[in-house]
Amino acid sequence: DIVMTQSPESLTVALGERATIHCRSSQTVLWSSNRKNYLAWYQQRPGQSPKLLLYWASTRESGVPDRFSGSGSGTDFSLTISSLQAEDVAIYYCQQYYSSPWTFGQGTKVEI
Amino acid sequence: EFQLVESGGGSVQPGRSLRLSCAASGFKFDDYGMHWVRQVSGRGLEWVSSISWNSNSIEYADSVKGRFTISRDNAKNSLYLQMNSLRGDDTALYFCTKMTDYGDYFDSWGQGTLVTVSS
């Protein structure tokens, strides 16, 4: 199984400041034939279901604000919120869809 | 807009069974593979099971293999999870999720149904 490890576990950031979350996979999630990273990011606000933010490591889902961006390749990835807003308080998860079983990171809690 | 509504959760004793349902709307259900994902204590997402659009391909997490059965009824736009021999560590919020056209990531989630296994 591919193990996904996120850091930090929690993060406190001032309004308007940058937040960066890291995700590392125990093996590559880069598919060599198409050069795509099989990595998604989700946001889970308090009391809500997870919501897809990014897929292919850096492609924003429709409707996701452009302050959310993703980067990285292979085994090391980052999610950056360029200017934290109050509504961004949430737990963020990475997920690999390179191979079954599909696995998630343990989550990073972002607070203000 | 995609909508997924889970039902069937509840409190059961260890060793008993429960059947979860997920009603889908807002998209062509029989075009998409579907998954169940569970969450323990508001953290820790765990993929449970998946089923292809035509039920020909089914997978399970090792933790539920042999105890849980996923199925779907495309005529009813519904997904199911039959859970047998329930254990305490099956206690979780169970989400129905829809995979996309491009990969096994999840672009739509239900609100979840809570399963509590306790004596």
Side-chain angles (χ1 to χ4, degrees):
Chain A
D1 298 3
I2 298 177
V3 177
M4 307 300 290
T5 304
Q6 289 182 231
S7 62
E9 284 201 9
S10 64
L11 189 59
T12 302
V13 178
L15 281 172
E17 294 299 303
R18 177 185 297 256
T20 300
I21 299 166
H22 301 278
C23 175
R24 176 167 289 175
S25 55
S26 61
Q27 60 193 78
T28 187
V29 298
L30 173 64
W31 199 264
S32 55
S33 60
N34 61 9
R35 305 303 297 171
K36 285 183 180 288
N37 288 285
Y38 284 58
L39 191 284
W41 288 96
Y42 301 87
Q43 174 194 63
Q44 188 175 29
R45 292 177 172 141
Q48 295 186 15
S49 306
K51 171 191 168 186
L52 177 66
L53 290 178
L54 302 164
Y55 53 97
W56 303 131
S58 61
T59 302
R60 269 188 300 276
E61 173 72 336
S62 175
V64 173
D66 60 6
R67 65 179 179 274
F68 291 92
S69 63
S71 63
S73 185
T75 61
D76 288 284
F77 301 90
S78 296
L79 169 69
T80 298
I81 310 171
S82 61
S83 176
L84 194 76
Q85 304 300 303
E87 62 265 31
D88 301 334
V89 168
I91 300 176
Y92 293 83
Y93 298 91
C94 60
Q95 178 231 336
Q96 65 81 19
Y97 49 102
Y98 181 90
S99 67
S100 176
W102 324 116
T103 47
F104 294 84
Q106 79 277 21
T108 295
K109 187 173 188 178
V110 174
E111 299 174 301
I112 294 175
Chain B
E1 184 181 341
F2 306 146
Q3 189 169 16
L4 299 168
V5 179
E6 302 93 336
S7 60
S11 292
V12 294
Q13 294 179 325
R16 304 300 291 263
S17 299
L18 213 54
R19 189 192 196 211
L20 306 184
S21 298
C22 171
S25 61
F27 63 100
K28 197 169 184 301
F29 182 70
D30 55 7
D31 272 355
Y32 292 96
M34 299 293 293
H35 296 247
W36 288 98
V37 174
R38 66 187 180 183
Q39 184 168 38
V40 177
S41 299
R43 204 82 179 236
L45 294 167
E46 179 188 19
W47 169 79
V48 173
S49 182
S50 64
I51 187 168
S52 62
W53 67 275
N54 60 1
S55 304
N56 281 354
S57 178
I58 288 175
E59 294 186 272
Y60 298 99
D62 285 347
S63 57
V64 306
K65 202 172 292 184
R67 300 186 300 121
F68 289 13
T69 302
I70 192 172
S71 62
R72 64 189 296 161
D73 185 336
N74 287 343
K76 295 183 178 179
N77 289 345
S78 292
L79 176 71
Y80 306 102
L81 187 68
Q82 177 67 43
M83 304 187 295
N84 298 333
S85 303
L86 281 162
R87 312 187 304 218
D89 60 1
D90 294 319
T91 294
L93 185 63
Y94 284 74
F95 293 102
C96 165
T97 67
K98 170 190 163 294
M99 70 173 285
T100 74
D101 292 321
Y102 309 110
D104 288 278
Y105 58 95
F106 315 117
D107 62 1
S108 186
W109 297 63
Q111 85 289 349
T113 186
L114 183 62
V115 173
T116 303
V117 183
S118 173
S119 54

